[in-house]
Amino acid sequence: MAEQWDKHDMSFLDGRRLRRPRRTAWSRAMVRETVLTSADLIWPLFVIEGQNEKTQIRTMPGVERLSVDLCVQAAKAARDAGIPALALFPNTPDHLRSESAEEAYNPDNLMCRALSAIKDAVPEIGLIADVALDEYSANGQDGLVRDGEILNDETIAVMVRSALVQTRAGADIIAPSDMMDGRVAALRAALDQEGFEQTQIMAYAAKYASYFYGPFREAVGSGNRLVGDKRTYQMDYANSDEAMREIEQDLAEGADSVMVKPGLPYLDIVRRAKSEFNVPIYAYQVSGEYAMIEMAAAAGAIDRKGAILESLYAFKRAGANGVLSYFALEVARDLGA
Ligand code: PBG
């Protein structure tokens, strides 16, 4: 027998009951405000040398660095799952890293070989090439360093050369993640001059000096060599107005789309950017965010699949047009292409 409980007199509500549309699944589906589809997901891949080679990343359980041939297979899987684009990051072997980061513009570097192999085998998928020196430098900084200072204009000269070899190899979108001043204008001019008017620029416009990049630095092999921090170029996490200036400037310089990074701790920036600029805004659910979800789930603290979807929906709700996420393939498959 069901308990009999007294009802409170709710006449003050005057019939306004917000739970009404939540009662049934069909009704919840009708009032749902945002949708997540596989087209919202961009999948980052870490590339290593070798053939049929995968290596584990200790701080990113479930993510593997892949040799170029396995990247091609991954690209096919991504395409089949409806993912529109991949973001590639090379783990450059130690002996090729240097103070001047010359490997960044070697037309036969690991990044370029991955770009062209994927472009040949899976031309339908978009390829986003990260442009920054930390993946090639001996010190893990995103720029050239002299007497402890990160040089801006000298770094840009290397980045331009790097972006051109990447574009020739098959990159569709150049994504500078370095936060040097003026790099979008410099890249746009160089691309146009070389006949790559159609190559897009996705600027990591509001990129913060974040503690959440730790696992990524392990993945690309820059972490243990990094001396100091990146606070003279990446943004102070206390700032929001400054992010709007960064975005405004990158757009004025010719960026086709902009990125906010990290993701979940910076949803206010995503929302504000979407309200202030009518342009495509992407958010990066970075490696530390990935690790937090995976490790909390492994410890039995949260439901893994549920937490992943909730986190990705939060980006859409905040106004992001898409999300770079290490969960992309799994989620795209779950959602159905
Ligand atoms: C390098 C770069 C970083 C990330 C993307 N590009 C690391 C950094 O700036 O130190 C971080 C991505 C992640 O944490 O998943 N310029």
Side-chain angles (χ1 to χ4, degrees), residues 3-19:
E3 296 279 349
Q4 289 300 307
W5 288 304
D6 291 338
K7 281 190 179 190
H8 190 80
D9 174 8
M10 299 298 283
S11 52
F12 62 86
L13 260 186
D14 208 15
R16 289 178 295 255
R17 288 184 183 270
L18 290 175
R19 288 183 57 192

Side-chain angles (χ1 to χ4, degrees), residues 99-175:
E99 292 301 319
S100 309
E102 289 98 340
E103 186 63 8
Y105 50 85
N106 171 3
D108 198 36
N109 68 22
L110 181 58
M111 180 73 155
C112 290
R113 279 179 279 124
L115 287 164
S116 71
I118 299 173
K119 184 69 13 192
D120 278 352
V122 197
E124 310 88 346
I125 205 157
L127 293 180
I128 303 173
D130 192 80
V131 185
L133 303 194
D134 58 328
E135 289 137 37
Y136 312 95
S137 67
N139 50 43
Q141 292 287 357
D142 292 20
L144 298 174
V145 188
R146 186 188 293 139
D147 299 332
E149 188 179 342
I150 311 298
L151 304 173
N152 195 90
D153 307 5
E154 293 84 345
T155 297
I156 303 265
V158 180
M159 288 179 62
V160 163
R161 296 176 72 176
S162 182
L164 288 175
V165 296
Q166 292 174 344
T167 306
R168 290 191 191 103
D172 301 292
I173 301 182
I174 292 298

Side-chain angles (χ1 to χ4, degrees), residues 36 40-44 46 60 63 89 204 212-213 216 259-267 270 282-294 304 306-315 320 322-329 331:
L36 179 73
D40 297 317
L41 302 169
I42 295 169
W43 193 27
F46 297 114
M60 295 183 83
V63 177
F89 300 94
Y204 285 72
F212 292 99
Y213 305 149
F216 174 96
M259 204 194 298
V260 172
K261 180 179 173 196
L264 280 199
Y266 295 85
L267 287 188
V270 173
Y282 295 89
Y284 200 140
Q285 181 176 50
V286 301
S287 55
E289 299 176 64
Y290 172 87
M292 287 198 298
I293 293 177
E294 284 294 346
R304 185 176 169 282
I308 292 170
L309 261 196
E310 180 179 341
S311 69
L312 293 171
Y313 262 94
F315 287 106
V323 188
L324 287 90
S325 172
Y326 301 99
F327 296 118
L329 181 66
V331 172

Side-chain angles (χ1 to χ4, degrees), residues 179 181 183-184 201-208 235 239-261 266 268-283:
M179 293 296 282
D181 284 324
R183 83 271 210 235
V184 174
I201 297 178
M202 177 187 281
Y204 285 72
K207 177 170 178 180
Y208 288 84
M235 285 182 50
N239 298 349
S240 167
D241 290 345
E242 190 186 343
M244 297 307 111
R245 283 194 73 195
E246 284 284 359
I247 291 170
E248 187 177 25
Q249 181 138 339
D250 282 357
L251 291 171
E253 289 181 26
D256 299 284
S257 57
V258 291
M259 204 194 298
V260 172
K261 180 179 173 196
Y266 295 85
D268 59 315
I269 307 298
V270 173
R271 164 51 66 194
R272 194 172 162 191
K274 195 61 195 175
S275 313
E276 294 187 22
F277 304 96
N278 292 314
V279 298
I281 312 263
Y282 295 89

Side-chain angles (χ1 to χ4, degrees), residues 19-30:
R19 288 183 57 192
R20 200 178 287 125
R22 277 177 223 146
R23 277 186 69 223
T24 56
W26 63 262
S27 178
R28 287 193 293 274
M30 273 177 77

